[in-house]
Every structure is written in C-alpha cells, then in structure tokens.
Amino acid sequence: MTSKRSRSPLPHVLRDRNAGIYLTGVVVSGFGTAALWLAAGVWVKDLTGSDGLAALCQLAMWAPVLAGPALGTLADRVRRRPLLIGVSLLPAALLPALSAVGSADRVWLVLAVLFVYGTAGVVHDAAESALVASAVDARLLGDFNGLRMTATESMKLLAPLAGAGLYAAYGGPGVALLDALTFVLAAGVYAALRVREEKPPPPESGWRTRTAEGARYLWGRPRLRLLVLAGGATMLCSGINGALVHAVVDGLGRSPAYAGVLAAAQGAGTVAAGLVAGPALRRLGAVRFAVYGSALAAVAAALRAVPSDAVAVVCSAAYGVGLPCALIAAMTAVQRETPGPLLGRVAATANTLLFAPTVAGLAVGAGLVELADHRLVLPALGAVWLTAPAVLARRGREACGVVVYREGDEDGYRPGDEDGGQPQPGTRTAHPPASADRTADRSASDASPA
C-alpha cells in the first residue's frame, strides 16, 4: 500500500476535498499573477524607456516580504478563510485602476498598486499556510506543498505567453483586468472550502510582542531553525546564480532570448520535483530531502560554467529539480510542527527568512558579474553553496529530538516521520490548542495516507 501511494500522490491529494480546492485556487490566481509579473515590467519600459523603473516593478512586489513577520500577525488575529478571501478581493478591486495608466507620468500608480499587491500576497501566503495546516490532512502536507509548487511553476511556464499575447493586443490594462478576474475566481474557490474555525481570542499582548512570538517560536525550535536558515542560504545563492544567467547565455554564444530556453528547462525540473516531493519527504525525511536538493542545485549551478548548450540545458533542469526541495521541506515542517494560533506569524517569518535573501543574492550577483568572469564565479559559488547542505546534514540529525505535531495525526504523521520514519531518542510531542481544527467533514476513511 505504501509503495502505491508513493508512486502516485496526485489522486490521494485530490481525493481530499480541501486540498483539491486549494490547488484549484493556486492555479487560477497563479495564472494571473505570472502574466502580470511579466507584463508589468514590459509596460513600464514601454511607457518610460527606463530599465530602472521597469526593475522597480519587481522590487515593488518583493519589498513587502521584508515585513512578513509583522504582516503575518494578521493571519493569527482573524479567521483565516475570510482573510484569504479578502486578500484575494483586494487586488481584484485595485487592478482595474491601472486602466487609467496611459503615459509615463502615471507610472507611479502602477508601482503603488504592485506594492499593495505584494503586501496582500504576503498576508495571503501566511493565511494560506496556516489554513492549509488545519484544513488539509497532515499526512498529505508534503504532497500538497509539492503539487502546489508544480501548479505554480506550470503557470509560470504557460501564463507569460498568454500575458504577452494579451499585452500585445490590449496593452497593460488588459493584463491587469485578466489578473483581477483570476483573483475574483480564486476568492470564489476559497469560499467553497469546508473548514471549521473558531474566532481567535482577543490578544493579551501588544502588536510588537505578538509579532516577536512567531520569530521566537521559530528560532527556539532547532530543527525548524536549521531547515529555514538552510533554505534561506539556498535562496541567497540562487539569487547570485540568477544574476549570472545572461552571462551564461553570452558564454554560449547565444542571443539573450536563449535565456527563455534555460528558464523553461528549469521550470520543467521544478514541476517534476513538485510531483515527487511528497513520496521523497516520506522516504528521506525533511532534512535529507533538503540536503540532497540543495546539493544538487549547487552542483548544477557550478557546472553551468561549462560552455556547452547540452550541459547548460541539463544543468538548468537539474537546478530546477534541486532548488525547491529546501523550500518544500522547510514549509512542510513549519506547518506540521507549529501550533495553530501561532502558525500565521511563524509561516510569515519563515517566508521572509526564505525569500528575502534572494533579493540580496541578486544584488551581489549583479556586482560580481561586472567584476569577474562567470566561469570563475559559478564554480566558486557552487563550492560555497555546498556548505549549506553540509552544515544541515551534520547538525540536522542532532536537532530532531523535539517535534511538535498536530491533533488528529496519531494515525498518520508522527515524530520522526520527517527523518526517515523512526522517532528520535528523547522525542517529545505537544498538541496545539483546539483552534487548529480539522475540517468539519473529515473522517478517518477519506484521509487515506498519501
């Protein structure tokens, strides 16, 4: 039975009603977001002729990630399903305003809307991570997070083409209206979730104290801390690697458009990684899954220095397989081991620690590519990158003695499942408060192990 479910996680995840609904929402909203991600920069470039202002579109959407711990507090203050619906409808209400942008002097409106868009996205991710942990069977979380990654990357492969076509036909406002429509549809999908949530009790402490509680909980759990920091180190190195992609293309003697071929290969690898993430997590455990994935990405990044088309494409695909492993391992562990009332803040803090280093990596890489040959930088980057999985492998096992798991998981996920299936000596378990409820219609018979 175990081997069967390991080979085919998708049917088991989709059999869970809430998991299937969530994935539908991810596909719908992800399509619009991926289309806008490309079109916004092109739109601003066309209006202003400025590469710097075009780059600010990406910064406007990324910048709110730095405020993740504070924004995540909101996900623990209100019911999460209504919050998820609300932060989907907020961008839907703002995006049509971009129809008024027709000249360079109104580009500020694009940047302002994208900043609010990014802020809503941070709150959305925190609420989603917290609600998924209570609405989706704990035994399906690894599979769900992997399939979520697959769905997101699939949209990144498909949506930019649709966005480019729509932009060519109707301009930026057409893409903005498409994205607004996808958010409305996603809100309707989230409204179909069946989840029982109690109203959170009034806070007993101030906003700053509540914000710090999420970071304190994450930092006080050695295994979670190691997984998240290893993921952050992986994303820091990935940012440096990403800044060198055009140098790699130049080294191959190709036109800049060839970067799209490498991006497609990387996306295909990420899709494949998402499909096998759940079975791999069960077989390897979170620590080894993250170690192997990060090491694969490091080696692939180093080998991109080889001036060969075949090597570049294969390395891009391998890089796509390895890079998301540390992210999936870290977020699945956070969802499984954090009490429900804290999960919004802890998830948002983890997201900040995981993704903010990407911005720093891009800045470092942009400087390095001007100072040194990429054929020297990439092998050095790979060597430095390998220290992250090496440290995680050495210290990860020592940090597995304390595991927290959620109520109702007694017949599924247990302490030690994330580390090869065997409980570690001295393991303690702690159940969260009852507010981390399971779905109202869940029964043991339909929660088949994934």
Side-chain angles (χ1 to χ4, degrees), residues 153 241 245 248-249 252 258-271 273 296-297 299-305 308-324:
E153 290 302 316
N241 177 72
V245 64
V248 171
V249 171
L252 296 173
Y258 192 71
V261 175
L262 301 184
Q266 179 179 331
T270 301
V271 168
L296 175 61
V299 172
L303 291 178
R304 294 176 82 175
S308 163
D309 283 15
V311 172
V313 171
V314 170
C315 285
S316 293
Y319 183 82
V321 171
L323 185 62

PDB file of all heavy atoms in Angstrom, residues 153 241 245 248-249 252 258-271 273 296-297 299-305 308-324:
ATOM      1  N   GLU A 153       4.673  26.604 -10.773  1.00  0.00           N
ATOM      2  CA  GLU A 153       5.674  26.648 -11.840  1.00  0.00           C
ATOM      3  C   GLU A 153       5.051  26.400 -13.201  1.00  0.00           C
ATOM      4  O   GLU A 153       5.498  26.952 -14.207  1.00  0.00           O
ATOM      5  CB  GLU A 153       6.778  25.620 -11.554  1.00  0.00           C
ATOM      6  CG  GLU A 153       7.657  25.974 -10.387  1.00  0.00           C
ATOM      7  CD  GLU A 153       8.341  27.316 -10.563  1.00  0.00           C
ATOM      8  OE1 GLU A 153       8.855  27.588 -11.673  1.00  0.00           O
ATOM      9  OE2 GLU A 153       8.362  28.098  -9.598  1.00  0.00           O
ATOM     10  N   ASN A 241      23.190  33.170  -8.533  1.00  0.00           N
ATOM     11  CA  ASN A 241      23.168  32.388  -9.767  1.00  0.00           C
ATOM     12  C   ASN A 241      22.232  33.008 -10.802  1.00  0.00           C
ATOM     13  O   ASN A 241      22.546  33.080 -11.991  1.00  0.00           O
ATOM     14  CB  ASN A 241      22.731  30.959  -9.455  1.00  0.00           C
ATOM     15  CG  ASN A 241      22.606  30.100 -10.697  1.00  0.00           C
ATOM     16  OD1 ASN A 241      23.588  29.707 -11.312  1.00  0.00           O
ATOM     17  ND2 ASN A 241      21.375  29.813 -11.086  1.00  0.00           N
ATOM     18  N   VAL A 245      22.712  34.607 -15.239  1.00  0.00           N
ATOM     19  CA  VAL A 245      22.143  33.823 -16.330  1.00  0.00           C
ATOM     20  C   VAL A 245      22.471  34.418 -17.698  1.00  0.00           C
ATOM     21  O   VAL A 245      22.771  33.687 -18.658  1.00  0.00           O
ATOM     22  CB  VAL A 245      20.618  33.648 -16.148  1.00  0.00           C
ATOM     23  CG1 VAL A 245      19.899  34.997 -16.223  1.00  0.00           C
ATOM     24  CG2 VAL A 245      20.053  32.694 -17.190  1.00  0.00           C
ATOM     25  N   VAL A 248      25.935  33.554 -18.699  1.00  0.00           N
ATOM     26  CA  VAL A 248      25.994  32.173 -19.178  1.00  0.00           C
ATOM     27  C   VAL A 248      25.545  32.105 -20.634  1.00  0.00           C
ATOM     28  O   VAL A 248      26.171  31.438 -21.478  1.00  0.00           O
ATOM     29  CB  VAL A 248      25.109  31.262 -18.298  1.00  0.00           C
ATOM     30  CG1 VAL A 248      24.978  29.867 -18.916  1.00  0.00           C
ATOM     31  CG2 VAL A 248      25.683  31.155 -16.892  1.00  0.00           C
ATOM     32  N   VAL A 249      24.458  32.801 -20.945  1.00  0.00           N
ATOM     33  CA  VAL A 249      23.944  32.816 -22.326  1.00  0.00           C
ATOM     34  C   VAL A 249      24.972  33.427 -23.269  1.00  0.00           C
ATOM     35  O   VAL A 249      25.219  32.903 -24.370  1.00  0.00           O
ATOM     36  CB  VAL A 249      22.610  33.585 -22.384  1.00  0.00           C
ATOM     37  CG1 VAL A 249      22.171  33.799 -23.830  1.00  0.00           C
ATOM     38  CG2 VAL A 249      21.530  32.821 -21.618  1.00  0.00           C
ATOM     39  N   LEU A 252      27.697  31.050 -24.136  1.00  0.00           N
ATOM     40  CA  LEU A 252      27.294  30.023 -25.096  1.00  0.00           C
ATOM     41  C   LEU A 252      27.229  30.567 -26.515  1.00  0.00           C
ATOM     42  O   LEU A 252      26.988  29.808 -27.462  1.00  0.00           O
ATOM     43  CB  LEU A 252      25.921  29.447 -24.710  1.00  0.00           C
ATOM     44  CG  LEU A 252      25.841  28.705 -23.374  1.00  0.00           C
ATOM     45  CD1 LEU A 252      24.390  28.346 -23.053  1.00  0.00           C
ATOM     46  CD2 LEU A 252      26.697  27.438 -23.409  1.00  0.00           C
ATOM     47  N   TYR A 258      17.768  33.252 -25.600  1.00  0.00           N
ATOM     48  CA  TYR A 258      18.056  31.861 -25.223  1.00  0.00           C
ATOM     49  C   TYR A 258      17.870  31.633 -23.725  1.00  0.00           C
ATOM     50  O   TYR A 258      17.707  30.488 -23.286  1.00  0.00           O
ATOM     51  CB  TYR A 258      19.491  31.503 -25.623  1.00  0.00           C
ATOM     52  CG  TYR A 258      19.807  30.036 -25.546  1.00  0.00           C
ATOM     53  CD1 TYR A 258      19.275  29.133 -26.458  1.00  0.00           C
ATOM     54  CD2 TYR A 258      20.653  29.538 -24.551  1.00  0.00           C
ATOM     55  CE1 TYR A 258      19.572  27.788 -26.396  1.00  0.00           C
ATOM     56  CE2 TYR A 258      20.956  28.195 -24.475  1.00  0.00           C
ATOM     57  CZ  TYR A 258      20.419  27.319 -25.401  1.00  0.00           C
ATOM     58  OH  TYR A 258      20.716  25.983 -25.325  1.00  0.00           O
ATOM     59  N   ALA A 259      17.878  32.727 -22.950  1.00  0.00           N
ATOM     60  CA  ALA A 259      17.601  32.587 -21.517  1.00  0.00           C
ATOM     61  C   ALA A 259      16.232  31.970 -21.289  1.00  0.00           C
ATOM     62  O   ALA A 259      16.007  31.289 -20.284  1.00  0.00           O
ATOM     63  CB  ALA A 259      17.692  33.957 -20.832  1.00  0.00           C
ATOM     64  N   GLY A 260      15.301  32.188 -22.219  1.00  0.00           N
ATOM     65  CA  GLY A 260      13.981  31.580 -22.108  1.00  0.00           C
ATOM     66  C   GLY A 260      14.026  30.069 -22.199  1.00  0.00           C
ATOM     67  O   GLY A 260      13.242  29.369 -21.543  1.00  0.00           O
ATOM     68  N   VAL A 261      14.943  29.535 -23.010  1.00  0.00           N
ATOM     69  CA  VAL A 261      15.102  28.083 -23.120  1.00  0.00           C
ATOM     70  C   VAL A 261      15.582  27.507 -21.789  1.00  0.00           C
ATOM     71  O   VAL A 261      15.077  26.485 -21.303  1.00  0.00           O
ATOM     72  CB  VAL A 261      16.086  27.730 -24.252  1.00  0.00           C
ATOM     73  CG1 VAL A 261      16.351  26.228 -24.299  1.00  0.00           C
ATOM     74  CG2 VAL A 261      15.553  28.223 -25.593  1.00  0.00           C
ATOM     75  N   LEU A 262      16.575  28.164 -21.200  1.00  0.00           N
ATOM     76  CA  LEU A 262      17.094  27.697 -19.911  1.00  0.00           C
ATOM     77  C   LEU A 262      16.037  27.825 -18.816  1.00  0.00           C
ATOM     78  O   LEU A 262      15.924  26.952 -17.941  1.00  0.00           O
ATOM     79  CB  LEU A 262      18.338  28.497 -19.535  1.00  0.00           C
ATOM     80  CG  LEU A 262      19.505  28.434 -20.525  1.00  0.00           C
ATOM     81  CD1 LEU A 262      20.712  29.203 -19.983  1.00  0.00           C
ATOM     82  CD2 LEU A 262      19.889  26.996 -20.830  1.00  0.00           C
ATOM     83  N   ALA A 263      15.254  28.901 -18.863  1.00  0.00           N
ATOM     84  CA  ALA A 263      14.184  29.073 -17.869  1.00  0.00           C
ATOM     85  C   ALA A 263      13.125  27.991 -18.012  1.00  0.00           C
ATOM     86  O   ALA A 263      12.598  27.486 -17.014  1.00  0.00           O
ATOM     87  CB  ALA A 263      13.557  30.457 -18.020  1.00  0.00           C
ATOM     88  N   ALA A 264      12.816  27.614 -19.256  1.00  0.00           N
ATOM     89  CA  ALA A 264      11.832  26.559 -19.481  1.00  0.00           C
ATOM     90  C   ALA A 264      12.340  25.225 -18.952  1.00  0.00           C
ATOM     91  O   ALA A 264      11.589  24.441 -18.348  1.00  0.00           O
ATOM     92  CB  ALA A 264      11.502  26.454 -20.963  1.00  0.00           C
ATOM     93  N   ALA A 265      13.633  24.943 -19.153  1.00  0.00           N
ATOM     94  CA  ALA A 265      14.215  23.707 -18.635  1.00  0.00           C
ATOM     95  C   ALA A 265      14.178  23.692 -17.108  1.00  0.00           C
ATOM     96  O   ALA A 265      13.848  22.668 -16.481  1.00  0.00           O
ATOM     97  CB  ALA A 265      15.656  23.560 -19.135  1.00  0.00           C
ATOM     98  N   GLN A 266      14.500  24.837 -16.504  1.00  0.00           N
ATOM     99  CA  GLN A 266      14.440  24.913 -15.045  1.00  0.00           C
ATOM    100  C   GLN A 266      13.015  24.731 -14.549  1.00  0.00           C
ATOM    101  O   GLN A 266      12.770  24.012 -13.572  1.00  0.00           O
ATOM    102  CB  GLN A 266      14.986  26.258 -14.564  1.00  0.00           C
ATOM    103  CG  GLN A 266      14.939  26.417 -13.049  1.00  0.00           C
ATOM    104  CD  GLN A 266      15.514  27.753 -12.595  1.00  0.00           C
ATOM    105  OE1 GLN A 266      16.390  28.307 -13.246  1.00  0.00           O
ATOM    106  NE2 GLN A 266      15.013  28.266 -11.478  1.00  0.00           N
ATOM    107  N   GLY A 267      12.060  25.358 -15.221  1.00  0.00           N
ATOM    108  CA  GLY A 267      10.663  25.206 -14.823  1.00  0.00           C
ATOM    109  C   GLY A 267      10.190  23.770 -14.923  1.00  0.00           C
ATOM    110  O   GLY A 267       9.466  23.273 -14.050  1.00  0.00           O
ATOM    111  N   ALA A 268      10.613  23.067 -15.989  1.00  0.00           N
ATOM    112  CA  ALA A 268      10.233  21.668 -16.132  1.00  0.00           C
ATOM    113  C   ALA A 268      10.805  20.826 -14.994  1.00  0.00           C
ATOM    114  O   ALA A 268      10.147  19.926 -14.464  1.00  0.00           O
ATOM    115  CB  ALA A 268      10.717  21.138 -17.483  1.00  0.00           C
ATOM    116  N   GLY A 269      12.037  21.144 -14.586  1.00  0.00           N
ATOM    117  CA  GLY A 269      12.633  20.427 -13.455  1.00  0.00           C
ATOM    118  C   GLY A 269      11.877  20.673 -12.164  1.00  0.00           C
ATOM    119  O   GLY A 269      11.673  19.749 -11.358  1.00  0.00           O
ATOM    120  N   THR A 270      11.441  21.913 -11.952  1.00  0.00           N
ATOM    121  CA  THR A 270      10.688  22.237 -10.739  1.00  0.00           C
ATOM    122  C   THR A 270       9.331  21.538 -10.717  1.00  0.00           C
ATOM    123  O   THR A 270       8.878  21.075  -9.673  1.00  0.00           O
ATOM    124  CB  THR A 270      10.504  23.762 -10.632  1.00  0.00           C
ATOM    125  OG1 THR A 270      11.790  24.374 -10.595  1.00  0.00           O
ATOM    126  CG2 THR A 270       9.742  24.137  -9.372  1.00  0.00           C
ATOM    127  N   VAL A 271       8.685  21.467 -11.882  1.00  0.00           N
ATOM    128  CA  VAL A 271       7.422  20.737 -11.974  1.00  0.00           C
ATOM    129  C   VAL A 271       7.634  19.282 -11.576  1.00  0.00           C
ATOM    130  O   VAL A 271       6.852  18.695 -10.799  1.00  0.00           O
ATOM    131  CB  VAL A 271       6.845  20.833 -13.395  1.00  0.00           C
ATOM    132  CG1 VAL A 271       5.687  19.850 -13.583  1.00  0.00           C
ATOM    133  CG2 VAL A 271       6.362  22.256 -13.678  1.00  0.00           C
ATOM    134  N   ALA A 273      10.025  18.068  -9.678  1.00  0.00           N
ATOM    135  CA  ALA A 273      10.335  17.996  -8.246  1.00  0.00           C
ATOM    136  C   ALA A 273       9.067  18.058  -7.405  1.00  0.00           C
ATOM    137  O   ALA A 273       8.931  17.333  -6.409  1.00  0.00           O
ATOM    138  CB  ALA A 273      11.276  19.138  -7.861  1.00  0.00           C
ATOM    139  N   LEU A 296      22.267  19.248  -5.041  1.00  0.00           N
ATOM    140  CA  LEU A 296      22.073  19.110  -6.488  1.00  0.00           C
ATOM    141  C   LEU A 296      22.050  20.475  -7.167  1.00  0.00           C
ATOM    142  O   LEU A 296      22.672  20.669  -8.224  1.00  0.00           O
ATOM    143  CB  LEU A 296      20.770  18.361  -6.765  1.00  0.00           C
ATOM    144  CG  LEU A 296      20.357  18.225  -8.238  1.00  0.00           C
ATOM    145  CD1 LEU A 296      21.415  17.456  -9.022  1.00  0.00           C
ATOM    146  CD2 LEU A 296      18.990  17.549  -8.353  1.00  0.00           C
ATOM    147  N   ALA A 297      21.342  21.429  -6.575  1.00  0.00           N
ATOM    148  CA  ALA A 297      21.287  22.777  -7.154  1.00  0.00           C
ATOM    149  C   ALA A 297      22.673  23.422  -7.172  1.00  0.00           C
ATOM    150  O   ALA A 297      23.037  24.108  -8.144  1.00  0.00           O
ATOM    151  CB  ALA A 297      20.303  23.644  -6.369  1.00  0.00           C
ATOM    152  N   VAL A 299      25.670  21.928  -7.323  1.00  0.00           N
ATOM    153  CA  VAL A 299      26.500  21.303  -8.360  1.00  0.00           C
ATOM    154  C   VAL A 299      26.047  21.760  -9.744  1.00  0.00           C
ATOM    155  O   VAL A 299      26.863  22.066 -10.620  1.00  0.00           O
ATOM    156  CB  VAL A 299      26.435  19.771  -8.241  1.00  0.00           C
ATOM    157  CG1 VAL A 299      27.126  19.107  -9.422  1.00  0.00           C
ATOM    158  CG2 VAL A 299      27.083  19.315  -6.935  1.00  0.00           C
ATOM    159  N   ALA A 300      24.735  21.827  -9.953  1.00  0.00           N
ATOM    160  CA  ALA A 300      24.207  22.263 -11.249  1.00  0.00           C
ATOM    161  C   ALA A 300      24.615  23.699 -11.552  1.00  0.00           C
ATOM    162  O   ALA A 300      24.966  24.030 -12.690  1.00  0.00           O
ATOM    163  CB  ALA A 300      22.688  22.126 -11.264  1.00  0.00           C
ATOM    164  N   ALA A 301      24.570  24.565 -10.538  1.00  0.00           N
ATOM    165  CA  ALA A 301      24.980  25.957 -10.742  1.00  0.00           C
ATOM    166  C   ALA A 301      26.451  26.037 -11.123  1.00  0.00           C
ATOM    167  O   ALA A 301      26.833  26.800 -12.020  1.00  0.00           O
ATOM    168  CB  ALA A 301      24.709  26.767  -9.480  1.00  0.00           C
ATOM    169  N   ALA A 302      27.296  25.255 -10.454  1.00  0.00           N
ATOM    170  CA  ALA A 302      28.729  25.280 -10.753  1.00  0.00           C
ATOM    171  C   ALA A 302      29.010  24.804 -12.177  1.00  0.00           C
ATOM    172  O   ALA A 302      29.843  25.380 -12.890  1.00  0.00           O
ATOM    173  CB  ALA A 302      29.483  24.406  -9.751  1.00  0.00           C
ATOM    174  N   LEU A 303      28.313  23.768 -12.628  1.00  0.00           N
ATOM    175  CA  LEU A 303      28.558  23.196 -13.953  1.00  0.00           C
ATOM    176  C   LEU A 303      28.032  24.066 -15.085  1.00  0.00           C
ATOM    177  O   LEU A 303      28.357  23.820 -16.253  1.00  0.00           O
ATOM    178  CB  LEU A 303      27.943  21.801 -14.036  1.00  0.00           C
ATOM    179  CG  LEU A 303      28.626  20.726 -13.187  1.00  0.00           C
ATOM    180  CD1 LEU A 303      27.895  19.403 -13.302  1.00  0.00           C
ATOM    181  CD2 LEU A 303      30.098  20.563 -13.596  1.00  0.00           C
ATOM    182  N   ARG A 304      27.223  25.069 -14.757  1.00  0.00           N
ATOM    183  CA  ARG A 304      26.764  25.983 -15.814  1.00  0.00           C
ATOM    184  C   ARG A 304      27.915  26.819 -16.374  1.00  0.00           C
ATOM    185  O   ARG A 304      27.755  27.502 -17.382  1.00  0.00           O
ATOM    186  CB  ARG A 304      25.665  26.894 -15.280  1.00  0.00           C
ATOM    187  CG  ARG A 304      24.402  26.157 -14.927  1.00  0.00           C
ATOM    188  CD  ARG A 304      23.360  27.063 -14.311  1.00  0.00           C
ATOM    189  NE  ARG A 304      22.599  27.797 -15.302  1.00  0.00           N
ATOM    190  CZ  ARG A 304      21.571  28.591 -15.026  1.00  0.00           C
ATOM    191  NH1 ARG A 304      21.192  28.753 -13.756  1.00  0.00           N
ATOM    192  NH2 ARG A 304      20.918  29.223 -15.976  1.00  0.00           N
ATOM    193  N   ALA A 305      29.060  26.749 -15.744  1.00  0.00           N
ATOM    194  CA  ALA A 305      30.235  27.439 -16.267  1.00  0.00           C
ATOM    195  C   ALA A 305      30.771  26.754 -17.525  1.00  0.00           C
ATOM    196  O   ALA A 305      31.532  27.359 -18.285  1.00  0.00           O
ATOM    197  CB  ALA A 305      31.335  27.496 -15.207  1.00  0.00           C
ATOM    198  N   SER A 308      28.711  24.742 -22.959  1.00  0.00           N
ATOM    199  CA  SER A 308      28.061  23.735 -23.795  1.00  0.00           C
ATOM    200  C   SER A 308      26.557  23.887 -23.677  1.00  0.00           C
ATOM    201  O   SER A 308      26.022  23.952 -22.558  1.00  0.00           O
ATOM    202  CB  SER A 308      28.487  22.328 -23.356  1.00  0.00           C
ATOM    203  OG  SER A 308      27.612  21.347 -23.872  1.00  0.00           O
ATOM    204  N   ASP A 309      25.871  23.919 -24.809  1.00  0.00           N
ATOM    205  CA  ASP A 309      24.411  24.029 -24.781  1.00  0.00           C
ATOM    206  C   ASP A 309      23.777  22.864 -24.041  1.00  0.00           C
ATOM    207  O   ASP A 309      22.871  23.056 -23.219  1.00  0.00           O
ATOM    208  CB  ASP A 309      23.862  24.077 -26.219  1.00  0.00           C
ATOM    209  CG  ASP A 309      24.045  25.441 -26.860  1.00  0.00           C
ATOM    210  OD1 ASP A 309      24.823  26.239 -26.321  1.00  0.00           O
ATOM    211  OD2 ASP A 309      23.414  25.695 -27.901  1.00  0.00           O
ATOM    212  N   ALA A 310      24.234  21.657 -24.339  1.00  0.00           N
ATOM    213  CA  ALA A 310      23.644  20.472 -23.712  1.00  0.00           C
ATOM    214  C   ALA A 310      23.834  20.503 -22.197  1.00  0.00           C
ATOM    215  O   ALA A 310      22.908  20.223 -21.429  1.00  0.00           O
ATOM    216  CB  ALA A 310      24.269  19.203 -24.301  1.00  0.00           C
ATOM    217  N   VAL A 311      25.049  20.853 -21.765  1.00  0.00           N
ATOM    218  CA  VAL A 311      25.319  20.928 -20.328  1.00  0.00           C
ATOM    219  C   VAL A 311      24.468  22.010 -19.681  1.00  0.00           C
ATOM    220  O   VAL A 311      23.909  21.819 -18.588  1.00  0.00           O
ATOM    221  CB  VAL A 311      26.818  21.190 -20.074  1.00  0.00           C
ATOM    222  CG1 VAL A 311      27.068  21.461 -18.589  1.00  0.00           C
ATOM    223  CG2 VAL A 311      27.650  20.010 -20.538  1.00  0.00           C
ATOM    224  N   ALA A 312      24.322  23.150 -20.352  1.00  0.00           N
ATOM    225  CA  ALA A 312      23.536  24.250 -19.788  1.00  0.00           C
ATOM    226  C   ALA A 312      22.077  23.855 -19.603  1.00  0.00           C
ATOM    227  O   ALA A 312      21.465  24.148 -18.566  1.00  0.00           O
ATOM    228  CB  ALA A 312      23.645  25.479 -20.685  1.00  0.00           C
ATOM    229  N   VAL A 313      21.506  23.182 -20.611  1.00  0.00           N
ATOM    230  CA  VAL A 313      20.099  22.785 -20.518  1.00  0.00           C
ATOM    231  C   VAL A 313      19.914  21.726 -19.437  1.00  0.00           C
ATOM    232  O   VAL A 313      18.988  21.804 -18.623  1.00  0.00           O
ATOM    233  CB  VAL A 313      19.591  22.279 -21.883  1.00  0.00           C
ATOM    234  CG1 VAL A 313      18.202  21.663 -21.733  1.00  0.00           C
ATOM    235  CG2 VAL A 313      19.560  23.410 -22.896  1.00  0.00           C
ATOM    236  N   VAL A 314      20.791  20.723 -19.410  1.00  0.00           N
ATOM    237  CA  VAL A 314      20.679  19.661 -18.397  1.00  0.00           C
ATOM    238  C   VAL A 314      20.862  20.235 -17.001  1.00  0.00           C
ATOM    239  O   VAL A 314      20.129  19.890 -16.056  1.00  0.00           O
ATOM    240  CB  VAL A 314      21.710  18.546 -18.671  1.00  0.00           C
ATOM    241  CG1 VAL A 314      21.778  17.574 -17.499  1.00  0.00           C
ATOM    242  CG2 VAL A 314      21.358  17.797 -19.952  1.00  0.00           C
ATOM    243  N   CYS A 315      21.834  21.128 -16.845  1.00  0.00           N
ATOM    244  CA  CYS A 315      22.070  21.734 -15.531  1.00  0.00           C
ATOM    245  C   CYS A 315      20.895  22.603 -15.101  1.00  0.00           C
ATOM    246  O   CYS A 315      20.557  22.660 -13.908  1.00  0.00           O
ATOM    247  CB  CYS A 315      23.355  22.552 -15.547  1.00  0.00           C
ATOM    248  SG  CYS A 315      24.850  21.549 -15.530  1.00  0.00           S
ATOM    249  N   SER A 316      20.267  23.291 -16.048  1.00  0.00           N
ATOM    250  CA  SER A 316      19.101  24.106 -15.710  1.00  0.00           C
ATOM    251  C   SER A 316      17.961  23.214 -15.211  1.00  0.00           C
ATOM    252  O   SER A 316      17.277  23.550 -14.241  1.00  0.00           O
ATOM    253  CB  SER A 316      18.651  24.910 -16.928  1.00  0.00           C
ATOM    254  OG  SER A 316      19.608  25.878 -17.264  1.00  0.00           O
ATOM    255  N   ALA A 317      17.755  22.077 -15.876  1.00  0.00           N
ATOM    256  CA  ALA A 317      16.709  21.151 -15.432  1.00  0.00           C
ATOM    257  C   ALA A 317      17.037  20.580 -14.058  1.00  0.00           C
ATOM    258  O   ALA A 317      16.170  20.501 -13.173  1.00  0.00           O
ATOM    259  CB  ALA A 317      16.536  20.039 -16.459  1.00  0.00           C
ATOM    260  N   ALA A 318      18.307  20.180 -13.857  1.00  0.00           N
ATOM    261  CA  ALA A 318      18.713  19.639 -12.552  1.00  0.00           C
ATOM    262  C   ALA A 318      18.592  20.696 -11.465  1.00  0.00           C
ATOM    263  O   ALA A 318      18.176  20.407 -10.335  1.00  0.00           O
ATOM    264  CB  ALA A 318      20.156  19.126 -12.636  1.00  0.00           C
ATOM    265  N   TYR A 319      18.940  21.921 -11.811  1.00  0.00           N
ATOM    266  CA  TYR A 319      18.804  23.042 -10.877  1.00  0.00           C
ATOM    267  C   TYR A 319      17.339  23.225 -10.488  1.00  0.00           C
ATOM    268  O   TYR A 319      17.020  23.449  -9.308  1.00  0.00           O
ATOM    269  CB  TYR A 319      19.345  24.296 -11.557  1.00  0.00           C
ATOM    270  CG  TYR A 319      19.359  25.543 -10.723  1.00  0.00           C
ATOM    271  CD1 TYR A 319      20.388  25.780  -9.823  1.00  0.00           C
ATOM    272  CD2 TYR A 319      18.363  26.506 -10.856  1.00  0.00           C
ATOM    273  CE1 TYR A 319      20.415  26.952  -9.071  1.00  0.00           C
ATOM    274  CE2 TYR A 319      18.379  27.671 -10.114  1.00  0.00           C
ATOM    275  CZ  TYR A 319      19.416  27.892  -9.218  1.00  0.00           C
ATOM    276  OH  TYR A 319      19.434  29.037  -8.480  1.00  0.00           O
ATOM    277  N   GLY A 320      16.442  23.121 -11.467  1.00  0.00           N
ATOM    278  CA  GLY A 320      15.015  23.231 -11.179  1.00  0.00           C
ATOM    279  C   GLY A 320      14.513  22.122 -10.284  1.00  0.00           C
ATOM    280  O   GLY A 320      13.607  22.334  -9.468  1.00  0.00           O
ATOM    281  N   VAL A 321      15.090  20.937 -10.394  1.00  0.00           N
ATOM    282  CA  VAL A 321      14.703  19.828  -9.516  1.00  0.00           C
ATOM    283  C   VAL A 321      15.182  20.090  -8.091  1.00  0.00           C
ATOM    284  O   VAL A 321      14.448  19.879  -7.112  1.00  0.00           O
ATOM    285  CB  VAL A 321      15.280  18.498 -10.032  1.00  0.00           C
ATOM    286  CG1 VAL A 321      15.073  17.379  -9.006  1.00  0.00           C
ATOM    287  CG2 VAL A 321      14.628  18.112 -11.358  1.00  0.00           C
ATOM    288  N   GLY A 322      16.419  20.528  -7.943  1.00  0.00           N
ATOM    289  CA  GLY A 322      17.011  20.640  -6.612  1.00  0.00           C
ATOM    290  C   GLY A 322      16.589  21.851  -5.814  1.00  0.00           C
ATOM    291  O   GLY A 322      16.397  21.769  -4.596  1.00  0.00           O
ATOM    292  N   LEU A 323      16.406  23.002  -6.493  1.00  0.00           N
ATOM    293  CA  LEU A 323      16.184  24.257  -5.768  1.00  0.00           C
ATOM    294  C   LEU A 323      14.959  24.239  -4.857  1.00  0.00           C
ATOM    295  O   LEU A 323      15.035  24.702  -3.714  1.00  0.00           O
ATOM    296  CB  LEU A 323      16.096  25.407  -6.771  1.00  0.00           C
ATOM    297  CG  LEU A 323      15.982  26.805  -6.161  1.00  0.00           C
ATOM    298  CD1 LEU A 323      17.210  27.140  -5.337  1.00  0.00           C
ATOM    299  CD2 LEU A 323      15.800  27.858  -7.273  1.00  0.00           C
ATOM    300  N   PRO A 324      13.792  23.749  -5.303  1.00  0.00           N
ATOM    301  CA  PRO A 324      12.614  23.845  -4.437  1.00  0.00           C
ATOM    302  C   PRO A 324      12.600  22.873  -3.263  1.00  0.00           C
ATOM    303  O   PRO A 324      11.762  23.016  -2.374  1.00  0.00           O
ATOM    304  CB  PRO A 324      11.447  23.548  -5.391  1.00  0.00           C
ATOM    305  CG  PRO A 324      12.038  22.733  -6.475  1.00  0.00           C
ATOM    306  CD  PRO A 324      13.451  23.213  -6.631  1.00  0.00           C
TER     307      PRO A 324
END
